[in-house]
Amino acid sequence: AITLSRSDLRRRLASTRRGLALDYGASIAALFVLGLLQILIFTVSMRLLMHSPFRIAEVLLLAVYLALVLGLGQLLSLLDQSLRLYLSLLILLLLGIAGGCFFQLSEKLLSLVGQYTPQGWVLSRLKGYDSLPFAVPLLVALLLLALGYYLQKRRVISEG
């Protein structure tokens, strides 16, 4: 069996016509499907254990949140491995605090600040507060994913 280092694998994928794009798309799709499956398992578990209602709108909100987090993750994956974990945790902590995950924020604070973070946007929508339209975070997620692909492709080309 032949094992390739990560950089060798990237170079090999880059040498094919659409290798990098297909690998990137398949990786994102796999992560999204697994995340969505986890959301559905938790939602069904809450329905069975606590008799909470199953609302498809809430599952869709969490799916957009998942896409946003995947987009952020693709950008953070470009960081040097020794720095990636610490910086990612710091960014997620700050976003969580600003979004109202650790401390309950008032509707005014969520509207002013929180709704512009992935967590705060979901919390604002779940609570029925005024927040960004559904399409805005979805568009941001798609842009982050596209930017992540472009930057990763550029990195592979510059390395090879």
Side-chain angles (χ1 to χ4, degrees), residues 6-28 74 148-159:
R6 184 176 288 233
S7 60
D8 288 339
L9 180 61
R10 284 188 190 137
R11 276 195 297 273
R12 180 168 269 190
L13 287 170
S15 69
T16 63
R17 184 171 173 210
R18 286 180 283 177
L20 283 174
L22 291 173
D23 180 62
Y24 185 82
S27 297
I28 294 298
Q74 291 308 303
Y149 170 72
Y150 171 75
L151 292 173
Q152 287 185 26
K153 182 178 177 181
R154 205 168 132 197
R155 175 195 249 182
V156 169
I157 291 170
S158 70
E159 286 176 353

Side-chain angles (χ1 to χ4, degrees), residues 12 16 19 39 42 45 49 75 82 96 98 105 123 135 144 149 152 155:
R12 180 168 269 190
T16 63
I39 290 168
F42 288 151
S45 298
L49 297 173
L75 294 179
S82 62
L105 299 179
L123 285 174
L144 286 172
Y149 170 72
Q152 287 185 26
R155 175 195 249 182

Side-chain angles (χ1 to χ4, degrees), residues 24 28 66-76 141 144-145 148:
Y24 185 82
I28 294 298
L66 176 62
L68 277 168
V69 172
L70 284 173
L72 285 172
Q74 291 308 303
L75 294 179
L76 291 171
L144 286 172
L145 289 168

Side-chain angles (χ1 to χ4, degrees), residues 10 58 95 99 127:
R10 284 188 190 137
E58 291 175 1
L95 286 174
K127 291 183 176 189

Side-chain angles (χ1 to χ4, degrees):
I2 298 176
T3 43
L4 298 173
S5 69
R6 184 176 288 233
S7 60
D8 288 339
L9 180 61
R10 284 188 190 137
R11 276 195 297 273
R12 180 168 269 190
L13 287 170
S15 69
T16 63
R17 184 171 173 210
R18 286 180 283 177
L20 283 174
L22 291 173
D23 180 62
Y24 185 82
S27 297
I28 294 298
L31 290 170
F32 187 79
V33 167
L34 289 173
L36 198 56
L37 183 62
Q38 188 175 21
I39 290 168
L40 291 172
I41 288 170
F42 288 151
T43 304
V44 169
S45 298
M46 291 298 292
R47 171 75 180 134
L48 294 174
L49 297 173
M50 303 189 75
H51 306 290
S52 63
F54 182 86
R55 294 185 184 106
I56 194 70
E58 291 175 1
V59 173
L60 292 175
L61 282 175
L62 292 174
V64 171
Y65 170 77
L66 176 62
L68 277 168
V69 172
L70 284 173
L72 285 172
Q74 291 308 303
L75 294 179
L76 291 171
S77 72
L78 295 167
L79 296 173
D80 184 62
Q81 193 169 4
S82 62
L83 182 64
R84 186 181 315 151
L85 175 65
Y86 302 111
L87 191 58
S88 298
L89 289 174
L90 178 65
I91 289 170
L92 288 175
L93 177 67
L94 293 175
L95 286 174
I97 290 170
C101 290
F102 295 105
F103 310 104
Q104 187 163 350
L105 299 179
S106 66
E107 180 177 355
K108 184 178 179 181
L109 273 176
L110 268 177
S111 296
L112 288 174
V113 178
Q115 72 165 323
Y116 300 107
T117 68
Q119 298 89 336
W121 176 76
V122 172
L123 285 174
S124 295
R125 298 292 291 198
L126 289 174
K127 291 183 176 189
Y129 299 160
D130 286 335
S131 59
L132 295 170
F134 197 83
V136 173
L138 184 60
L139 181 62
V140 169
L142 294 173
L143 288 172
L144 286 172
L145 289 168
L147 180 63
Y149 170 72
Y150 171 75
L151 292 173
Q152 287 185 26
K153 182 178 177 181
R154 205 168 132 197
R155 175 195 249 182
V156 169
I157 291 170
S158 70
E159 286 176 353

